[in-house]
């Protein structure tokens, strides 16, 4: 099991290029199931979750080929099984995103329930209720979802709770349904909008993606297309947070600053100078200690829950007291005990973590428990005095491409121990 060895205390300086968004490429890969013709995906990140999804599509009979320039070509004309097995789904919950496309294209799907997750129960009831409302017959037992529908019917859907992959599953299902579907209280994340762009390039008729009301007029079939995945706003924000916590100056390139506004405002509250360009963001925190600030996670365009753990790490060495409130997931504080082992002063009260900033963390052996918690521990190790070893690094490889190389490019002393 790989580990990362980090010598902390060096302010990060330099520029790093940001990869395509994990949470966009995953639904876009699922959308390839919706057309007989190939889908060409550009700016695809090299991530463990992408490899898992390629394996999942391959297990159904699809052909996925890697291009030399971060492109993937997916041909689903050979799909002969509408089945997503537990041994793949349990490694990646986002596999649930094949449910809507399989049902819409083939009229059937057998997908393993995702099962538990470190950060919360993460049910998929809203996905299933929506598909049932569109006419699918859904049966859940023995750990599998079995769904059938001759042809889904467009209808009015009002989601009880904002769900990103729920919105994406239902939007894909509606694209081939008979009639028009409206999704009220839809997720507004940029990744939802990016998926809609891909579907529209394939011939889908969608209005309002990126707002809380999405209208989809079903068509009979979709064509092949080429889609460029949007930049990963969470990866970009993570490197900016690393500059903030180490007192450095970092520019992230090939990004969409308009998708990062809540994070950029928050970094300003922590005392960073923020410079915005057309496709880059640069923050300068040299010779400065972060100021304490409060973070309250919310659905987009609020502060992203996927950046909560990273800002918790920044708060551990900020001047003053920060309160970090996690409103989306019920168990997304598992990085906190590890940060406390590095000398952080944090008290958890329900969904809020109260953090008294300390002058310096001390390096220590720590263990990653989930994707963003591992990012948080790397940031803490980079800021700490002395040596840290982050164990179970397979978590970070799910969502951050070439993580140690990118940090090395910023001057970090970090290496992978296999
Ligand atoms: C997506 O997960 C992201 N994953 C997550 O990123 C992200 O943290 C999350 O959205 C919130 O922004 C992908 O896009 C692949 P939700 P998702 O459905 O869709 C509850 C990362 O680190 N809910 O928006 O699974 C749920 O329990 C990952 O990159 C139901 O109750 O999240 C949660 O409390 C982690 N019933 C809330 O809604 C449902 O049917 C939001 O979940 C669905 C969700």
């Amino acid at each position: 099991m790989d580990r990362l060895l980090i010598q902390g205390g060096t302010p990060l300086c330099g520029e790093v290029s940001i990869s395509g968004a994990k949470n966009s490429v995953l639904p876009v890969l699922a959308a390839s199931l919706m057309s007989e013709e190939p889908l060409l995906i550009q700016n695809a990140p090299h991530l463990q979750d992408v490899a898992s999804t390629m394996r999942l599509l391959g297990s159904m009979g699809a052909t996925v080929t890697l291009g030399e320039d971060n492109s993937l070509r997916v041909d689903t004309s050979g799909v002969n099984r509408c089945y997503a097995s537990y041994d793949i789904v349990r490694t990646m919950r986002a596999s649930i995103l094949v449910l809507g496309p399989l049902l819409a294209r083939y009229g059937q799907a057998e997908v393993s329930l995702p099962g538990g997750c470190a950060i919360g129960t993460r049910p998929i009831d809203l996905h299933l209720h929506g598909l049932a409302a569109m006419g699918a017959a859904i049966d859940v037992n023995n750990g599998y979802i079995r769904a059938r529908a001759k042809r889904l019917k467009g209808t009015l859907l009002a989601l009880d709770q904002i769900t990103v992959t729920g919105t994406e599953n239902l939007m894909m299902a509606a694209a081939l349904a008979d009639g028009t579907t409206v999704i009220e209280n839809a997720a507004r994340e940029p990744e939802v909008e990016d998926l809609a762009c891909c579907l529209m390039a394939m011939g889908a008729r969608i209005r309002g993606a990126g707002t809380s009301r999405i209208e989809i007029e079903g068509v009979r079939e979709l064509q092949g297309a080429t889609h460029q995945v949007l930049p990963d706003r969470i990866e970009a924000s993570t490197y900016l947070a690393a500059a903030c916590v180490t007192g450095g100056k970092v520019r992230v390139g090939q990004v969409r600053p308009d998708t990062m506004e809540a994070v950029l405002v928050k970094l300003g509250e922590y005392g960073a100078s923020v410079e915005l360009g057309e496709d880059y963001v640069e923050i300068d925190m040299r010779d400065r200690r972060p100021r304490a600030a409060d973070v309250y996670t919310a659905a987009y365009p609020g502060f992203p829950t996927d950046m909560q753990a990273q800002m918790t790490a920044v708060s551990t060495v900020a001047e003053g007291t920060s309160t970090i409130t996690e409103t989306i997931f019920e168990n997304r504080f598992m990085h906190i005990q590890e940060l406390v082992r590095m000398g952080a002063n944090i008290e958890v009260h329900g969904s809020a973590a109260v953090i008294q900033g300390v002058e310096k963390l001390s390096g220590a052996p720590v263990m990653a428990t989930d994707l963003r918690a591992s990012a948080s521990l790397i940031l803490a190790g980079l800021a700490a005095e002395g040596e840290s070893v982050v164990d179970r690094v397979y978590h970070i490889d799910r969502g951050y491409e070439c993580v140690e190389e990118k940090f090395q490019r910023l001057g970090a002393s970090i290496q992978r121990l296999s």
Side-chain angles (χ1 to χ4, degrees):
M1 208 174 287
D2 284 4
R3 294 173 298 157
L4 287 175
L5 174 64
I6 300 169
Q7 296 297 336
T10 309
L12 298 190
C13 289
E15 176 162 356
V16 71
S17 290
I18 296 305
S19 307
K22 168 179 85 80
N23 291 348
S24 178
V25 72
L26 297 182
V28 164
L29 277 164
S32 68
L33 288 164
M34 301 188 68
S35 167
E36 181 79 5
E37 297 170 8
L39 179 62
L40 181 63
I41 303 169
Q42 295 172 332
N43 196 34
H46 295 286
L47 299 171
Q48 194 51 50
D49 276 6
V50 171
S52 302
T53 308
M54 288 165 63
R55 203 165 55 246
L56 173 60
L57 293 171
S59 73
M60 295 179 193
T63 309
V64 189
T65 40
L66 275 167
E68 64 289 340
D69 52 350
N70 291 347
S71 68
L72 293 172
R73 183 179 182 278
V74 192
D75 179 349
T76 60
S77 58
V79 166
N80 52 25
R81 294 181 78 209
C82 297
Y83 175 77
S85 69
Y86 177 58
D87 65 352
I88 293 185
V89 175
R90 70 190 166 88
T91 64
M92 188 191 60
R93 317 177 41 76
S95 308
I96 194 65
L97 283 164
V98 301
L99 180 59
L102 288 173
L103 207 42
R105 169 93 180 282
Y106 304 100
Q108 58 174 310
E110 188 172 349
V111 177
S112 166
L113 282 168
C117 167
I119 65 177
T121 51
R122 300 183 75 183
I124 54 158
D125 53 311
L126 300 175
H127 300 234
L128 302 183
H129 289 166
L131 292 171
M134 295 174 75
I138 295 181
D139 174 40
V140 179
N141 55 34
N142 310 109
Y144 277 79
I145 304 157
R146 289 173 184 79
R148 295 268 177 289
K150 258 179 72 54
R151 188 181 182 196
L152 294 168
K153 286 196 70 57
T155 187
L156 170 60
L157 301 171
L159 300 181
D160 292 343
Q161 195 166 341
I162 294 173
T163 161
V164 174
T165 51
T167 300
E168 291 165 346
N169 239 334
L170 295 169
M171 184 166 71
M172 288 189 281
L176 289 175
D178 177 15
T180 297
T181 300
V182 172
I183 305 175
E184 279 292 2
N185 200 23
R188 295 187 275 171
E189 270 68 5
E191 293 75 26
V192 174
E193 196 170 356
D194 202 44
L195 172 63
C197 288
C198 176
L199 291 168
M200 287 188 280
M202 295 167 74
R205 295 190 191 134
I206 300 173
R207 278 210 307 267
T211 75
S212 59
R213 184 182 191 279
I214 305 177
E215 192 169 317
I216 306 107
E217 186 191 335
V219 295
R220 287 299 295 182
E221 64 178 22
L222 295 176
Q223 291 73 46
T226 297
H227 178 71
Q228 166 125 355
V229 172
L230 102 160
D232 194 319
R233 60 195 168 98
I234 303 300
E235 184 199 16
S237 301
T238 301
Y239 287 103
L240 294 177
C244 190
V245 77
T246 59
K249 181 180 179 185
V250 166
R251 174 178 293 205
V252 289
Q254 297 171 357
V255 299
R256 283 264 309 274
D258 63 305
T259 64
M260 302 166 59
E261 289 171 344
V263 172
L264 299 180
V265 168
K266 192 56 65 180
L267 289 169
E269 289 176 26
Y270 275 87
S273 308
V274 182
E275 181 190 320
L276 295 188
E278 181 70 21
D279 67 346
Y280 75 86
V281 175
E282 182 171 89
I283 83 152
D284 191 351
M285 198 70 178
R286 285 173 300 175
D287 309 319
R288 265 179 266 175
R289 180 182 175 191
R291 283 198 308 265
D294 294 338
V295 172
Y296 192 92
T297 67
Y300 193 89
F303 188 90
T305 173
D306 292 349
M307 276 302 296
Q308 178 262 107
Q310 297 90 315
M311 298 319 291
T312 302
V314 176
S315 301
T316 61
V317 292
E319 191 161 4
T321 303
S322 306
T323 301
I324 310 260
T325 308
E326 172 58 59
T327 71
I328 306 290
F329 292 110
E330 65 267 32
N331 187 31
R332 203 168 197 178
F333 279 154
M334 281 169 302
H335 44 288
I336 285 179
Q337 281 323 310
E338 297 302 287
L339 293 171
V340 167
R341 293 185 53 246
M342 298 175 76
N345 179 344
I346 309 177
E347 280 185 14
V348 175
H349 305 285
S351 63
V354 179
I355 306 160
Q356 310 275 353
V358 296
E359 286 284 333
K360 271 283 173 199
L361 295 177
S362 55
V366 289
M367 187 178 296
T369 49
D370 60 84
L371 169 56
R372 306 303 174 181
S374 37
S376 169
L377 297 177
I378 291 173
L379 264 53
L382 291 168
E385 232 159 33
E387 181 177 285
S388 299
V389 179
V390 181
D391 204 348
R392 301 197 175 178
V393 180
Y394 60 84
H395 289 293
I396 194 94
D397 291 333
R398 295 189 47 191
Y400 290 86
E401 180 178 315
C402 306
V403 66
E404 70 267 30
E405 286 89 349
K406 290 195 180 186
F407 274 121
Q408 285 161 1
R409 206 166 301 150
L410 296 174
S413 169
I414 180 172
Q415 55 183 326
R416 185 179 290 254
L417 307 173
S418 293

